[in-house]
Amino acid sequence: MNDHRYQHINPEPLLDAMGGDVAACRHMFGTFAQSAPATFARLEQAIRADDAPQVKREAHSLKSMTALVGAGVLTDLLKSVESQSRAEPPQSAQPRLSELQSLFAAVAAEVRHYVDQIGVAQ
């Protein structure tokens, strides 16, 4: 088992939900590592363009992915961005972009660490 202490993700709930199947959990984290960066790039682009409908879609999609890997702080921030984009009138997420970028980078790095280290012979 991986004894690394994560600050931005929590693999345990997914691992528990999968009945302790480390390989399946690692696969799910690998899927996040492969697909989340493209979704985040689309979210960044939508935020820069102040495209509220696209921000809402991408934040919603990414929020589901981050919840899966136990990235609670980032998930909460994405919920907030999604809500702002639904407001009438929509509120720009541009002031939150740097916080989103920082948190996403930290989450992505920890997910990559998890994928690279879990199941590796100790």
Side-chain angles (χ1 to χ4, degrees):
M1 183 53 76
N2 187 353
D3 291 330
H4 184 79
R5 299 269 186 234
Y6 296 104
Q7 294 179 330
H8 301 284
I9 66 172
N10 181 3
E12 295 305 315
L14 181 59
L15 186 59
D16 289 345
M18 298 185 110
D21 187 338
V22 173
C25 190
R26 182 176 184 224
H27 175 76
M28 295 300 289
F29 272 66
T31 299
F32 175 94
Q34 291 176 351
S35 60
T39 304
F40 187 75
R42 289 189 303 272
L43 176 61
E44 283 180 302
Q45 184 177 26
I47 289 171
R48 286 190 181 102
D50 252 345
D51 181 346
Q54 187 69 20
V55 169
K56 179 184 69 148
R57 282 189 296 276
E58 300 303 339
H60 181 79
S61 179
L62 191 59
K63 175 185 72 174
S64 299
M65 291 183 219
T66 59
L68 182 72
V69 298
V73 174
L74 180 55
T75 301
D76 289 344
L77 181 57
L78 289 164
K79 283 180 189 176
S80 175
V81 166
E82 182 184 9
S83 293
Q84 287 177 335
S85 69
R86 291 176 187 236
E88 290 296 331
Q91 299 172 21
S92 176
Q94 288 182 4
R96 305 189 93 175
L97 184 55
S98 108
E99 182 181 11
L100 281 165
Q101 290 167 325
S102 176
L103 275 172
F104 182 78
V107 166
E110 287 190 4
V111 167
R112 280 190 305 276
H113 180 272
Y114 184 84
V115 170
D116 292 344
Q117 297 301 315
I118 197 70
V120 175
Q122 302 292 319

